Amino acid sequence: METTQSNRTLTWSKYLLILLLAAASGVMVHEFGHYLVSKAFGYYPRISFRDGGRVDIYDAGGTRVTDMPPVRKALVSAGGPATTLLLAVCFTALYLKRRDSFPLFAFAIANATQRFNMLVDGFNSDEGNISEILLRQDWNMSVLVVPLTVWTVCVILSCTLLARQKFCPRSYWMIPVLTVLIAALARLSLAVAAAVTA
């Protein structure tokens, strides 16, 4: 009896550690997406973890860039979510070929659910930032298009993953649980990264 309990604790500890690593790597890749788009526009970006993960953008003279053309700003904002969702899709595809792999599931679900934070962060999220840019421009496009598109992709990926996994059948109720857990683990990883790089 004690051995069974000990094995169960070890298994769930391992699952939690894998989810932590998945959430942390998802945050890093997300920020790297912003970094790559900024670099493509000729800026000099630096990834920072204080006050949450973000990319500070500088010009060639070392001055922080606070104003850029709206389309460019929207694309820089979109770089993070696009990279996160691309990673989620890739890991989901790999997982569907090997459904017994919890690490593949963890990396797929961590990246799929990480963009649900826009529901909490609102206009402070990347999707909110793009929506705000759309609001200020005279574009014939609803401000909800970007958040709803990202949210829909996240829901589809999450449902696909939870429908195919074997360790907890019929587990759609896990979406909010995993979303909160992964958000907490992502924030924890940001706090650790901020402390290490301070």
Side-chain angles (χ1 to χ4, degrees), residues 54-129:
R54 69 174 196 222
V55 174
D56 295 323
I57 301 170
Y58 298 89
D59 61 18
T63 306
R64 189 160 179 204
V65 176
T66 55
D67 192 31
M68 62 176 78
V71 173
R72 189 173 288 192
K73 188 175 181 182
L75 288 171
V76 170
S77 289
T83 309
T84 300
L85 291 179
L86 180 64
L87 204 63
V89 169
C90 290
F91 274 111
T92 299
L94 289 172
Y95 178 71
L96 293 178
K97 292 188 175 196
R98 205 179 143 196
R99 286 182 280 161
D100 59 337
S101 171
F102 184 79
L104 286 177
F105 171 81
F107 277 81
I109 201 78
N111 284 285
T113 59
Q114 238 171 38
R115 296 319 303 154
F116 285 136
N117 68 357
M118 76 181 101
L119 298 173
V120 176
D121 294 340
F123 278 107
N124 291 325
S125 68
D126 293 320
E127 294 81 4
N129 191 15

Side-chain angles (χ1 to χ4, degrees), residues 30 77-78 80-86 88-89 111-119 125-128 130-131 143-158:
H30 177 90
S77 289
T83 309
T84 300
L85 291 179
L86 180 64
V89 169
N111 284 285
T113 59
Q114 238 171 38
R115 296 319 303 154
F116 285 136
N117 68 357
M118 76 181 101
L119 298 173
S125 68
D126 293 320
E127 294 81 4
I130 296 166
S131 294
V143 295
L144 295 175
V145 167
V146 174
L148 284 177
T149 302
V150 172
W151 193 81
T152 302
V153 171
C154 290
V155 169
I156 290 169
L157 287 172
S158 299

Side-chain angles (χ1 to χ4, degrees), residues 23-33 47 49 189 193:
S25 66
V27 167
M28 303 300 172
V29 169
H30 177 90
E31 297 308 327
F32 192 62
I47 296 175
F49 297 105
S189 70

